[in-house]
Amino acid sequence: MPRSIFQLKITLEDIRPPIWRRVLVASTMKLDELHLVIQAIMPWQNYHLHSFESSEASYMPSMPDNDLFDFGTPSKDEAKFKVSQVLTHEKSWIRYIYDMGDGWQHKIVLEKILAPDPKLKYPICIKGKRACPPEDCGGAWGYMDLLEILADPSHPDYAEMMEYHEEGIDAEAFDLAEINESLSNYKLGQLDFS
């Protein structure tokens, strides 16, 4: 059982109304594991590169030859840093960027530091709002355009977008039980995205 639990609020930036999740994780969790948790709770599909950004450093996965992806700012290996090393006090925050092309930016705020509850299995999502955008839809602005197109059958791009999104998109959907089922697969730092 971890000594402390971090209550994190993870908000997808640049979208209104906001898309967010509140999750409880062990303070000792490594950033590479937090990446997998974010993938499960949004849910993303883990297809793309990602990074964590703070005012002091950038944290990214190491490459097989132990080189780090380098996009300008020198990066540190995310697998070597605990969440508690980058979120040091309540209200501190970092940014998580997923898919360098679409540029999905998530603000991660440490809301509370809690004592562990022996009845809970961590990590666990306790609340959230709205559905995550589909992969590869063009970032926040592309997603907003997509929702506008799918809401208007007379739009010139409606038929083409419906080919990719046959069932439409329910932007308000949020299924806490389904998200926690994904998190229940969390074992040894890996999640199954199949």
Side-chain angles (χ1 to χ4, degrees):
M1 185 62 67
R3 290 194 345 223
S4 61
I5 298 299
F6 280 11
Q7 178 177 301
L8 305 177
K9 184 173 183 185
I10 302 170
T11 305
L12 188 55
E13 297 185 309
D14 301 321
I15 294 180
R16 296 290 175 259
I19 297 168
W20 61 271
R21 308 290 184 259
R22 183 166 286 125
V23 63
L24 304 178
V25 302
S27 61
T28 55
M29 176 178 277
K30 300 286 179 101
L31 290 178
D32 60 334
E33 297 170 311
L34 180 58
H35 155 70
L36 294 174
V37 168
I38 295 168
Q39 290 292 302
I41 65 172
M42 288 314 285
W44 294 112
Q45 297 299 311
N46 204 21
Y47 295 150
H48 301 285
L49 295 176
H50 70 276
S51 69
F52 291 92
E53 308 288 334
S54 74
S55 58
E56 290 82 33
S58 173
Y59 306 87
M60 300 184 83
S62 66
M63 297 197 34
D65 62 3
N66 286 334
D67 241 350
L68 295 174
F69 295 110
D70 188 4
F71 295 102
T73 306
S75 300
K76 297 180 179 184
D77 184 352
E78 67 182 19
K80 295 181 179 177
F81 290 87
K82 296 175 186 174
V83 174
S84 60
Q85 291 174 285
V86 295
L87 295 171
T88 56
H89 57 278
E90 290 182 0
K91 307 302 177 216
S92 61
W93 64 277
I94 57 173
R95 182 164 280 119
Y96 169 78
I97 302 165
Y98 174 64
D99 184 350
M100 302 310 176
D102 280 0
W104 298 109
Q105 295 190 41
H106 308 69
K107 186 174 182 180
I108 304 171
V109 177
L110 172 53
E111 292 185 312
K112 295 180 185 176
I113 300 172
L114 307 167
D117 181 340
K119 295 180 218 129
L120 295 178
K121 181 181 176 199
Y122 301 102
I124 184 169
C125 185
I126 58 172
K127 198 166 184 180
K129 291 283 184 188
R130 304 190 73 228
C132 185
E135 296 273 352
D136 302 319
C137 70
W141 311 119
Y143 178 58
M144 300 307 281
D145 287 345
L146 176 62
L147 291 178
E148 186 178 309
I149 291 166
L150 293 176
D152 180 7
S154 67
H155 193 284
D157 296 328
Y158 179 82
E160 181 183 351
M161 291 299 107
M162 283 304 291
E163 286 180 32
Y164 296 104
H165 307 282
E166 294 172 357
E167 297 175 18
I169 296 174
D170 182 357
E172 299 306 314
F174 174 74
D175 188 333
L176 184 61
E178 185 176 303
I179 285 171
N180 279 317
E181 184 176 331
S182 293
L183 283 175
S184 71
N185 295 328
Y186 182 84
K187 294 176 188 163
L188 303 175
Q190 299 200 0
L191 289 168
D192 180 12
F193 290 95
S194 56

